[in-house]
Amino acid sequence: MADIIQLLPDNIANQIAAGEVIQRPASAVKELLENAVDAGATEIRLIISDAGKALVQVIDNGKGMSPTDARMAFERHATSKIKQIDDLFRIKTMGFRGEALASVAAVAQVEIKTRRAEDELGTYLEIENSRVVKQEPCAAPAGTSICMKNLFFNVPARRNFLKSNAAELRHIIDEFIRVAMAFPDIFFSLTSNGQEMFHLEKGSLKQRIVQILGNQYNAKLVSVSEETDYMNIYGFVGKPETARKTRGDQYFFVNNRFIKSAYLNHAVNTAFEGMIGKDSFPGYVIYIDLDPAQVDINVHPTKQEIKFEDEKIIYAFVQAAVKHALAQSSIAPSLDFTLNADIQQLDAVNKPFTTEQKDVAVSSSLYKTFTQKNQAHFIEPENKSELRHWKDFFTEPADKPARSSEQKPAPAHDPLDFLLAPKKPQLQVLTDSPLLQLHNTYIIAPTDSGFILIHQQLAHERILYNRYSVAAHGKKMASQQTLFPATLELAPADAALLNDLLPDLQAIGYQLSASGNNNFTITGIPADVLQGNETHAIELLIEQFKHFSSEVTFSRREKLVRCMARQQAIKAGQSLSQKEMFTLAEELFACSNANITPTGNPTFIEYKEDQLDRMFGK
């Protein structure tokens, strides 16, 4: 019987290895940028075309390569950084696995021009399917230029799994930002389809952060800086008012390498405890420098997940450093035992305490409860006590106007005839009985067979989801013109996402258009959205869309509709009028699947009369 186990051909082995390292154009961008940093470059330019599918080019002014090195760099497991196994635990460079260029060459057509400063001529190489098809001397500036063309040209099945150009561009921008943020002393630029998206001059760390995240952070960053024998922590955290409802601008770097760590993220969140809401997430850019022997960065092909030798120490240091930074900036609460000299000048301190005032104070029963014996648990009858009016401090006057329900958009009053073909509602709320709002969250509505308990936020989410779904898939929603056009300025990554979402947003009633330089103009909003905060609403929508999580894969339009419904739904805690409660109940039971939200949570619970009787033993 013939043997059946055989060695894979090199080209197939390379393509399998490339599957680990090069998953999309952004993967190649990351590897090529890191190589340029390792080459000692002070200027790095990234040029992409067709979201990296047609071209990814990285040009640097680093030390370049000799003709032999240029050819060797594309061999598997070829690296200049590891000569013995111990070197693996002293890695301070970005790339070291020796698979990046080999993986790129296995799934793309590669051209490279490189020259060392001491050489008169450079080297030109063309590589295809891991084979060198041309090598010759050439004129070239000092440094290296690598072109990766037609990614996955020889693996069409892999190419079919790539997302839209806008989605792939966002991934490229993410990888570009992570490298550029780690090295503020290097010039970086990113050009996409001939348009420069980033032009990052050398500067301080804060300047680089503001260049990338936006000018709105300029006055809202708190410096973090702690040095110890074990590790150094430095960087910036955003002030509490910059916290977002979704995980936005959060960056951790260990030895200048971007990492993802839910454990360290928790350390930062706990440092902000009490200063931001439990459903909010702080922004931060934090760098950790420690001995490479204390960390293993070779546990994942992308090197974004790492292991610390003692992660509890790292956690404690990060938490303490952020807390200390917030306290020093007078953001976190702290105790100050020094007496302010201004207090001595206060009128109450300067005035003498007269004998008459003293007699009045001493004769009061309140004074006696603090000075006489056996008074600690003595409480006077309420009608005699001087404290009988204490409740007045905590109750609102009867004539105080009720909380306005205009702060949030109440359910629209137009019938949802376009949601479904006319059909009898599943449940009928009695119109001659008043509805009761409980804890400004639940609505108790009587029916002819018992009553229902409606969760106002979840119910409104179902109503809006049905409304936006119909609009997004055909019948465009009505828009209301804004009084004054609003300008929205976004980071490049968010601008690329919003460009991708424009047709879907316009379908559900938004009127906005790109006005250049990552700016957008808003001239109209959906008819049932309250005016006045259009820019914040779209920023929040983008954040929700970016961090949308579900076990089921949804289309872009479906994700947008779900995010929009969740954002615009009236929230728990908002007071509603009788008319608004009736409208909410009527519109809910006119919906298909009225009993659950799009995510599967119940919108109401029904209590039938016979069920109530059984509960009371009848």
Side-chain angles (χ1 to χ4, degrees), residues 252-255 257-261 263-264 288 290 294-300 302-309 311 314:
F252 261 116
F253 296 88
V254 173
N255 294 344
R257 185 186 304 278
F258 172 81
I259 66 158
K260 294 178 180 177
S261 173
Y263 188 66
L264 294 185
I288 299 172
L290 76 166
Q294 302 290 332
V295 57
D296 185 359
I297 54 178
N298 200 30
V299 296
H300 193 272
T302 66
K303 303 190 284 283
Q304 288 183 3
E305 295 176 19
I306 65 175
K307 284 185 178 178
F308 295 101
E309 190 171 274
E311 58 183 12
I314 309 292

PDB file of all heavy atoms in Angstrom, residues 252-255 257-261 263-264 288 290 294-300 302-309 311 314:
ATOM      1  N   PHE A 252      -4.131  50.757  24.385  1.00  0.00           N
ATOM      2  CA  PHE A 252      -3.076  50.315  25.281  1.00  0.00           C
ATOM      3  C   PHE A 252      -1.855  49.933  24.445  1.00  0.00           C
ATOM      4  O   PHE A 252      -1.986  49.249  23.421  1.00  0.00           O
ATOM      5  CB  PHE A 252      -3.515  49.071  26.075  1.00  0.00           C
ATOM      6  CG  PHE A 252      -3.990  49.375  27.456  1.00  0.00           C
ATOM      7  CD1 PHE A 252      -5.294  49.121  27.824  1.00  0.00           C
ATOM      8  CD2 PHE A 252      -3.130  49.924  28.400  1.00  0.00           C
ATOM      9  CE1 PHE A 252      -5.749  49.406  29.093  1.00  0.00           C
ATOM     10  CE2 PHE A 252      -3.567  50.206  29.673  1.00  0.00           C
ATOM     11  CZ  PHE A 252      -4.884  49.951  30.021  1.00  0.00           C
ATOM     12  N   PHE A 253      -0.674  50.367  24.884  1.00  0.00           N
ATOM     13  CA  PHE A 253       0.561  49.999  24.213  1.00  0.00           C
ATOM     14  C   PHE A 253       1.515  49.434  25.260  1.00  0.00           C
ATOM     15  O   PHE A 253       1.709  50.031  26.317  1.00  0.00           O
ATOM     16  CB  PHE A 253       1.203  51.212  23.538  1.00  0.00           C
ATOM     17  CG  PHE A 253       0.371  51.811  22.438  1.00  0.00           C
ATOM     18  CD1 PHE A 253      -0.581  52.785  22.711  1.00  0.00           C
ATOM     19  CD2 PHE A 253       0.531  51.396  21.126  1.00  0.00           C
ATOM     20  CE1 PHE A 253      -1.352  53.345  21.711  1.00  0.00           C
ATOM     21  CE2 PHE A 253      -0.234  51.947  20.106  1.00  0.00           C
ATOM     22  CZ  PHE A 253      -1.180  52.920  20.398  1.00  0.00           C
ATOM     23  N   VAL A 254       2.091  48.293  24.958  1.00  0.00           N
ATOM     24  CA  VAL A 254       3.117  47.706  25.821  1.00  0.00           C
ATOM     25  C   VAL A 254       4.410  47.658  25.014  1.00  0.00           C
ATOM     26  O   VAL A 254       4.470  47.030  23.951  1.00  0.00           O
ATOM     27  CB  VAL A 254       2.719  46.291  26.289  1.00  0.00           C
ATOM     28  CG1 VAL A 254       3.868  45.640  27.039  1.00  0.00           C
ATOM     29  CG2 VAL A 254       1.489  46.366  27.177  1.00  0.00           C
ATOM     30  N   ASN A 255       5.426  48.354  25.503  1.00  0.00           N
ATOM     31  CA  ASN A 255       6.693  48.483  24.772  1.00  0.00           C
ATOM     32  C   ASN A 255       6.445  48.938  23.329  1.00  0.00           C
ATOM     33  O   ASN A 255       6.989  48.396  22.372  1.00  0.00           O
ATOM     34  CB  ASN A 255       7.477  47.170  24.799  1.00  0.00           C
ATOM     35  CG  ASN A 255       7.947  46.822  26.200  1.00  0.00           C
ATOM     36  OD1 ASN A 255       7.949  47.662  27.094  1.00  0.00           O
ATOM     37  ND2 ASN A 255       8.342  45.576  26.401  1.00  0.00           N
ATOM     38  N   ARG A 257       3.911  48.575  21.492  1.00  0.00           N
ATOM     39  CA  ARG A 257       3.132  47.651  20.659  1.00  0.00           C
ATOM     40  C   ARG A 257       1.669  47.719  21.103  1.00  0.00           C
ATOM     41  O   ARG A 257       1.358  47.544  22.290  1.00  0.00           O
ATOM     42  CB  ARG A 257       3.672  46.238  20.828  1.00  0.00           C
ATOM     43  CG  ARG A 257       3.012  45.210  19.911  1.00  0.00           C
ATOM     44  CD  ARG A 257       3.499  43.813  20.252  1.00  0.00           C
ATOM     45  NE  ARG A 257       4.954  43.726  20.178  1.00  0.00           N
ATOM     46  CZ  ARG A 257       5.637  43.558  19.064  1.00  0.00           C
ATOM     47  NH1 ARG A 257       4.994  43.456  17.915  1.00  0.00           N
ATOM     48  NH2 ARG A 257       6.947  43.488  19.073  1.00  0.00           N
ATOM     49  N   PHE A 258       0.768  47.990  20.168  1.00  0.00           N
ATOM     50  CA  PHE A 258      -0.654  48.048  20.501  1.00  0.00           C
ATOM     51  C   PHE A 258      -1.143  46.676  20.939  1.00  0.00           C
ATOM     52  O   PHE A 258      -0.844  45.659  20.313  1.00  0.00           O
ATOM     53  CB  PHE A 258      -1.476  48.512  19.295  1.00  0.00           C
ATOM     54  CG  PHE A 258      -2.967  48.425  19.504  1.00  0.00           C
ATOM     55  CD1 PHE A 258      -3.634  49.415  20.208  1.00  0.00           C
ATOM     56  CD2 PHE A 258      -3.682  47.333  19.029  1.00  0.00           C
ATOM     57  CE1 PHE A 258      -5.005  49.334  20.418  1.00  0.00           C
ATOM     58  CE2 PHE A 258      -5.054  47.244  19.232  1.00  0.00           C
ATOM     59  CZ  PHE A 258      -5.710  48.249  19.931  1.00  0.00           C
ATOM     60  N   ILE A 259      -1.891  46.642  22.036  1.00  0.00           N
ATOM     61  CA  ILE A 259      -2.450  45.372  22.525  1.00  0.00           C
ATOM     62  C   ILE A 259      -3.921  45.541  22.869  1.00  0.00           C
ATOM     63  O   ILE A 259      -4.409  46.655  23.095  1.00  0.00           O
ATOM     64  CB  ILE A 259      -1.698  44.849  23.769  1.00  0.00           C
ATOM     65  CG1 ILE A 259      -1.901  45.806  24.962  1.00  0.00           C
ATOM     66  CG2 ILE A 259      -0.235  44.617  23.485  1.00  0.00           C
ATOM     67  CD1 ILE A 259      -1.684  45.151  26.299  1.00  0.00           C
ATOM     68  N   LYS A 260      -4.615  44.425  22.895  1.00  0.00           N
ATOM     69  CA  LYS A 260      -5.999  44.385  23.374  1.00  0.00           C
ATOM     70  C   LYS A 260      -6.010  43.605  24.683  1.00  0.00           C
ATOM     71  O   LYS A 260      -5.503  42.483  24.734  1.00  0.00           O
ATOM     72  CB  LYS A 260      -6.904  43.700  22.351  1.00  0.00           C
ATOM     73  CG  LYS A 260      -7.044  44.474  21.050  1.00  0.00           C
ATOM     74  CD  LYS A 260      -7.905  43.719  20.050  1.00  0.00           C
ATOM     75  CE  LYS A 260      -8.040  44.484  18.743  1.00  0.00           C
ATOM     76  NZ  LYS A 260      -8.823  43.730  17.738  1.00  0.00           N
ATOM     77  N   SER A 261      -6.563  44.205  25.728  1.00  0.00           N
ATOM     78  CA  SER A 261      -6.583  43.548  27.027  1.00  0.00           C
ATOM     79  C   SER A 261      -7.816  43.982  27.802  1.00  0.00           C
ATOM     80  O   SER A 261      -7.885  45.104  28.305  1.00  0.00           O
ATOM     81  CB  SER A 261      -5.316  43.872  27.829  1.00  0.00           C
ATOM     82  OG  SER A 261      -5.415  43.371  29.157  1.00  0.00           O
ATOM     83  N   TYR A 263      -8.607  42.848  30.580  1.00  0.00           N
ATOM     84  CA  TYR A 263      -8.182  42.889  31.989  1.00  0.00           C
ATOM     85  C   TYR A 263      -7.665  44.281  32.354  1.00  0.00           C
ATOM     86  O   TYR A 263      -8.078  44.877  33.360  1.00  0.00           O
ATOM     87  CB  TYR A 263      -7.103  41.825  32.198  1.00  0.00           C
ATOM     88  CG  TYR A 263      -6.696  41.612  33.635  1.00  0.00           C
ATOM     89  CD1 TYR A 263      -7.593  41.094  34.561  1.00  0.00           C
ATOM     90  CD2 TYR A 263      -5.401  41.893  34.067  1.00  0.00           C
ATOM     91  CE1 TYR A 263      -7.219  40.875  35.875  1.00  0.00           C
ATOM     92  CE2 TYR A 263      -5.019  41.682  35.380  1.00  0.00           C
ATOM     93  CZ  TYR A 263      -5.934  41.165  36.276  1.00  0.00           C
ATOM     94  OH  TYR A 263      -5.564  40.961  37.585  1.00  0.00           O
ATOM     95  N   LEU A 264      -6.779  44.831  31.537  1.00  0.00           N
ATOM     96  CA  LEU A 264      -6.250  46.176  31.818  1.00  0.00           C
ATOM     97  C   LEU A 264      -7.312  47.248  31.576  1.00  0.00           C
ATOM     98  O   LEU A 264      -7.324  48.281  32.256  1.00  0.00           O
ATOM     99  CB  LEU A 264      -5.021  46.448  30.955  1.00  0.00           C
ATOM    100  CG  LEU A 264      -3.789  45.582  31.251  1.00  0.00           C
ATOM    101  CD1 LEU A 264      -2.602  46.040  30.419  1.00  0.00           C
ATOM    102  CD2 LEU A 264      -3.437  45.611  32.727  1.00  0.00           C
ATOM    103  N   ILE A 288       2.806  51.378  28.421  1.00  0.00           N
ATOM    104  CA  ILE A 288       3.475  50.651  29.500  1.00  0.00           C
ATOM    105  C   ILE A 288       4.831  50.189  28.983  1.00  0.00           C
ATOM    106  O   ILE A 288       4.905  49.520  27.938  1.00  0.00           O
ATOM    107  CB  ILE A 288       2.646  49.424  29.952  1.00  0.00           C
ATOM    108  CG1 ILE A 288       1.288  49.876  30.490  1.00  0.00           C
ATOM    109  CG2 ILE A 288       3.392  48.616  31.004  1.00  0.00           C
ATOM    110  CD1 ILE A 288       0.338  48.730  30.785  1.00  0.00           C
ATOM    111  N   LEU A 290       8.105  47.976  30.107  1.00  0.00           N
ATOM    112  CA  LEU A 290       8.660  47.067  31.109  1.00  0.00           C
ATOM    113  C   LEU A 290       9.616  46.101  30.430  1.00  0.00           C
ATOM    114  O   LEU A 290       9.693  46.030  29.198  1.00  0.00           O
ATOM    115  CB  LEU A 290       7.553  46.319  31.853  1.00  0.00           C
ATOM    116  CG  LEU A 290       6.820  45.152  31.170  1.00  0.00           C
ATOM    117  CD1 LEU A 290       6.033  44.370  32.212  1.00  0.00           C
ATOM    118  CD2 LEU A 290       5.885  45.625  30.084  1.00  0.00           C
ATOM    119  N   GLN A 294       9.374  40.107  30.921  1.00  0.00           N
ATOM    120  CA  GLN A 294       8.176  40.001  31.757  1.00  0.00           C
ATOM    121  C   GLN A 294       6.894  39.817  30.927  1.00  0.00           C
ATOM    122  O   GLN A 294       5.813  39.718  31.490  1.00  0.00           O
ATOM    123  CB  GLN A 294       8.027  41.268  32.616  1.00  0.00           C
ATOM    124  CG  GLN A 294       9.188  41.569  33.520  1.00  0.00           C
ATOM    125  CD  GLN A 294       9.297  40.573  34.655  1.00  0.00           C
ATOM    126  OE1 GLN A 294       8.305  40.002  35.084  1.00  0.00           O
ATOM    127  NE2 GLN A 294      10.512  40.339  35.124  1.00  0.00           N
ATOM    128  N   VAL A 295       7.054  39.791  29.620  1.00  0.00           N
ATOM    129  CA  VAL A 295       5.864  39.716  28.776  1.00  0.00           C
ATOM    130  C   VAL A 295       6.144  38.785  27.589  1.00  0.00           C
ATOM    131  O   VAL A 295       7.247  38.762  27.051  1.00  0.00           O
ATOM    132  CB  VAL A 295       5.454  41.127  28.293  1.00  0.00           C
ATOM    133  CG1 VAL A 295       6.587  41.795  27.548  1.00  0.00           C
ATOM    134  CG2 VAL A 295       4.220  41.094  27.426  1.00  0.00           C
ATOM    135  N   ASP A 296       5.137  37.995  27.208  1.00  0.00           N
ATOM    136  CA  ASP A 296       5.251  37.105  26.053  1.00  0.00           C
ATOM    137  C   ASP A 296       4.331  37.634  24.958  1.00  0.00           C
ATOM    138  O   ASP A 296       3.107  37.629  25.099  1.00  0.00           O
ATOM    139  CB  ASP A 296       4.831  35.680  26.443  1.00  0.00           C
ATOM    140  CG  ASP A 296       5.050  34.692  25.298  1.00  0.00           C
ATOM    141  OD1 ASP A 296       5.499  35.116  24.221  1.00  0.00           O
ATOM    142  OD2 ASP A 296       4.774  33.487  25.489  1.00  0.00           O
ATOM    143  N   ILE A 297       4.938  38.117  23.876  1.00  0.00           N
ATOM    144  CA  ILE A 297       4.146  38.704  22.790  1.00  0.00           C
ATOM    145  C   ILE A 297       3.952  37.728  21.636  1.00  0.00           C
ATOM    146  O   ILE A 297       3.375  38.087  20.612  1.00  0.00           O
ATOM    147  CB  ILE A 297       4.821  39.997  22.260  1.00  0.00           C
ATOM    148  CG1 ILE A 297       6.255  39.718  21.858  1.00  0.00           C
ATOM    149  CG2 ILE A 297       4.740  41.093  23.280  1.00  0.00           C
ATOM    150  CD1 ILE A 297       6.972  40.919  21.297  1.00  0.00           C
ATOM    151  N   ASN A 298       4.380  36.510  21.813  1.00  0.00           N
ATOM    152  CA  ASN A 298       4.320  35.548  20.707  1.00  0.00           C
ATOM    153  C   ASN A 298       3.221  34.515  20.929  1.00  0.00           C
ATOM    154  O   ASN A 298       3.381  33.345  20.608  1.00  0.00           O
ATOM    155  CB  ASN A 298       5.676  34.850  20.544  1.00  0.00           C
ATOM    156  CG  ASN A 298       5.826  34.241  19.163  1.00  0.00           C
ATOM    157  OD1 ASN A 298       5.266  34.735  18.189  1.00  0.00           O
ATOM    158  ND2 ASN A 298       6.560  33.148  19.082  1.00  0.00           N
ATOM    159  N   VAL A 299       2.099  34.968  21.518  1.00  0.00           N
ATOM    160  CA  VAL A 299       1.014  34.017  21.804  1.00  0.00           C
ATOM    161  C   VAL A 299      -0.099  34.097  20.772  1.00  0.00           C
ATOM    162  O   VAL A 299      -1.058  33.345  20.833  1.00  0.00           O
ATOM    163  CB  VAL A 299       0.426  34.270  23.220  1.00  0.00           C
ATOM    164  CG1 VAL A 299       1.467  34.016  24.277  1.00  0.00           C
ATOM    165  CG2 VAL A 299      -0.154  35.669  23.338  1.00  0.00           C
ATOM    166  N   HIS A 300       0.013  35.024  19.819  1.00  0.00           N
ATOM    167  CA  HIS A 300      -1.035  35.192  18.815  1.00  0.00           C
ATOM    168  C   HIS A 300      -0.397  35.696  17.526  1.00  0.00           C
ATOM    169  O   HIS A 300       0.528  36.503  17.573  1.00  0.00           O
ATOM    170  CB  HIS A 300      -2.082  36.204  19.316  1.00  0.00           C
ATOM    171  CG  HIS A 300      -3.341  36.222  18.507  1.00  0.00           C
ATOM    172  ND1 HIS A 300      -3.484  37.017  17.395  1.00  0.00           N
ATOM    173  CD2 HIS A 300      -4.505  35.540  18.638  1.00  0.00           C
ATOM    174  CE1 HIS A 300      -4.698  36.823  16.878  1.00  0.00           C
ATOM    175  NE2 HIS A 300      -5.323  35.939  17.616  1.00  0.00           N
ATOM    176  N   THR A 302      -1.233  37.874  15.343  1.00  0.00           N
ATOM    177  CA  THR A 302      -1.248  39.328  15.132  1.00  0.00           C
ATOM    178  C   THR A 302      -0.470  40.075  16.198  1.00  0.00           C
ATOM    179  O   THR A 302      -0.285  41.285  16.098  1.00  0.00           O
ATOM    180  CB  THR A 302      -2.696  39.864  15.123  1.00  0.00           C
ATOM    181  OG1 THR A 302      -3.260  39.681  16.426  1.00  0.00           O
ATOM    182  CG2 THR A 302      -3.542  39.143  14.090  1.00  0.00           C
ATOM    183  N   LYS A 303      -0.042  39.383  17.246  1.00  0.00           N
ATOM    184  CA  LYS A 303       0.738  39.956  18.354  1.00  0.00           C
ATOM    185  C   LYS A 303      -0.043  41.031  19.109  1.00  0.00           C
ATOM    186  O   LYS A 303       0.541  41.843  19.806  1.00  0.00           O
ATOM    187  CB  LYS A 303       2.075  40.513  17.852  1.00  0.00           C
ATOM    188  CG  LYS A 303       2.935  39.470  17.121  1.00  0.00           C
ATOM    189  CD  LYS A 303       4.324  39.986  16.860  1.00  0.00           C
ATOM    190  CE  LYS A 303       4.424  40.983  15.737  1.00  0.00           C
ATOM    191  NZ  LYS A 303       4.380  40.388  14.404  1.00  0.00           N
ATOM    192  N   GLN A 304      -1.366  41.054  18.958  1.00  0.00           N
ATOM    193  CA  GLN A 304      -2.180  42.033  19.686  1.00  0.00           C
ATOM    194  C   GLN A 304      -2.642  41.491  21.031  1.00  0.00           C
ATOM    195  O   GLN A 304      -3.111  42.255  21.874  1.00  0.00           O
ATOM    196  CB  GLN A 304      -3.391  42.450  18.850  1.00  0.00           C
ATOM    197  CG  GLN A 304      -3.011  43.348  17.679  1.00  0.00           C
ATOM    198  CD  GLN A 304      -4.205  43.820  16.891  1.00  0.00           C
ATOM    199  OE1 GLN A 304      -5.342  43.532  17.245  1.00  0.00           O
ATOM    200  NE2 GLN A 304      -3.955  44.544  15.803  1.00  0.00           N
ATOM    201  N   GLU A 305      -2.530  40.191  21.226  1.00  0.00           N
ATOM    202  CA  GLU A 305      -2.845  39.596  22.521  1.00  0.00           C
ATOM    203  C   GLU A 305      -1.541  39.082  23.118  1.00  0.00           C
ATOM    204  O   GLU A 305      -0.806  38.346  22.464  1.00  0.00           O
ATOM    205  CB  GLU A 305      -3.847  38.454  22.360  1.00  0.00           C
ATOM    206  CG  GLU A 305      -5.200  38.920  21.848  1.00  0.00           C
ATOM    207  CD  GLU A 305      -6.148  37.770  21.593  1.00  0.00           C
ATOM    208  OE1 GLU A 305      -5.898  36.672  22.134  1.00  0.00           O
ATOM    209  OE2 GLU A 305      -7.122  37.964  20.853  1.00  0.00           O
ATOM    210  N   ILE A 306      -1.263  39.495  24.344  1.00  0.00           N
ATOM    211  CA  ILE A 306       0.007  39.125  24.963  1.00  0.00           C
ATOM    212  C   ILE A 306      -0.255  38.587  26.360  1.00  0.00           C
ATOM    213  O   ILE A 306      -1.362  38.674  26.891  1.00  0.00           O
ATOM    214  CB  ILE A 306       0.969  40.338  25.043  1.00  0.00           C
ATOM    215  CG1 ILE A 306       0.400  41.407  25.980  1.00  0.00           C
ATOM    216  CG2 ILE A 306       1.213  40.923  23.663  1.00  0.00           C
ATOM    217  CD1 ILE A 306       1.329  42.565  26.204  1.00  0.00           C
ATOM    218  N   LYS A 307       0.798  38.006  26.951  1.00  0.00           N
ATOM    219  CA  LYS A 307       0.699  37.492  28.317  1.00  0.00           C
ATOM    220  C   LYS A 307       1.764  38.158  29.180  1.00  0.00           C
ATOM    221  O   LYS A 307       2.919  38.267  28.774  1.00  0.00           O
ATOM    222  CB  LYS A 307       0.904  35.969  28.339  1.00  0.00           C
ATOM    223  CG  LYS A 307      -0.311  35.186  27.851  1.00  0.00           C
ATOM    224  CD  LYS A 307      -0.083  33.688  28.022  1.00  0.00           C
ATOM    225  CE  LYS A 307      -1.312  32.903  27.569  1.00  0.00           C
ATOM    226  NZ  LYS A 307      -1.074  31.436  27.696  1.00  0.00           N
ATOM    227  N   PHE A 308       1.322  38.606  30.367  1.00  0.00           N
ATOM    228  CA  PHE A 308       2.255  39.173  31.338  1.00  0.00           C
ATOM    229  C   PHE A 308       2.671  38.084  32.320  1.00  0.00           C
ATOM    230  O   PHE A 308       1.888  37.190  32.645  1.00  0.00           O
ATOM    231  CB  PHE A 308       1.608  40.318  32.117  1.00  0.00           C
ATOM    232  CG  PHE A 308       1.246  41.508  31.280  1.00  0.00           C
ATOM    233  CD1 PHE A 308      -0.059  41.721  30.876  1.00  0.00           C
ATOM    234  CD2 PHE A 308       2.218  42.421  30.902  1.00  0.00           C
ATOM    235  CE1 PHE A 308      -0.400  42.817  30.113  1.00  0.00           C
ATOM    236  CE2 PHE A 308       1.888  43.524  30.134  1.00  0.00           C
ATOM    237  CZ  PHE A 308       0.585  43.721  29.734  1.00  0.00           C
ATOM    238  N   GLU A 309       3.913  38.187  32.796  1.00  0.00           N
ATOM    239  CA  GLU A 309       4.383  37.222  33.790  1.00  0.00           C
ATOM    240  C   GLU A 309       3.580  37.368  35.080  1.00  0.00           C
ATOM    241  O   GLU A 309       3.234  36.386  35.722  1.00  0.00           O
ATOM    242  CB  GLU A 309       5.882  37.428  34.064  1.00  0.00           C
ATOM    243  CG  GLU A 309       6.493  36.318  34.906  1.00  0.00           C
ATOM    244  CD  GLU A 309       8.005  36.433  34.974  1.00  0.00           C
ATOM    245  OE1 GLU A 309       8.675  35.922  34.066  1.00  0.00           O
ATOM    246  OE2 GLU A 309       8.495  37.037  35.937  1.00  0.00           O
ATOM    247  N   GLU A 311       0.317  39.561  35.807  1.00  0.00           N
ATOM    248  CA  GLU A 311      -0.626  40.578  35.334  1.00  0.00           C
ATOM    249  C   GLU A 311      -1.332  41.301  36.488  1.00  0.00           C
ATOM    250  O   GLU A 311      -1.835  42.404  36.306  1.00  0.00           O
ATOM    251  CB  GLU A 311      -1.654  39.962  34.386  1.00  0.00           C
ATOM    252  CG  GLU A 311      -2.472  38.845  34.934  1.00  0.00           C
ATOM    253  CD  GLU A 311      -3.416  38.265  33.879  1.00  0.00           C
ATOM    254  OE1 GLU A 311      -3.270  38.586  32.692  1.00  0.00           O
ATOM    255  OE2 GLU A 311      -4.291  37.490  34.267  1.00  0.00           O
ATOM    256  N   ILE A 314       0.587  44.460  37.086  1.00  0.00           N
ATOM    257  CA  ILE A 314       0.318  45.420  36.011  1.00  0.00           C
ATOM    258  C   ILE A 314      -1.043  46.081  36.253  1.00  0.00           C
ATOM    259  O   ILE A 314      -1.193  47.301  36.143  1.00  0.00           O
ATOM    260  CB  ILE A 314       0.332  44.726  34.631  1.00  0.00           C
ATOM    261  CG1 ILE A 314       1.606  43.902  34.442  1.00  0.00           C
ATOM    262  CG2 ILE A 314       0.172  45.752  33.515  1.00  0.00           C
ATOM    263  CD1 ILE A 314       2.858  44.697  34.335  1.00  0.00           C
TER     264      ILE A 314
END
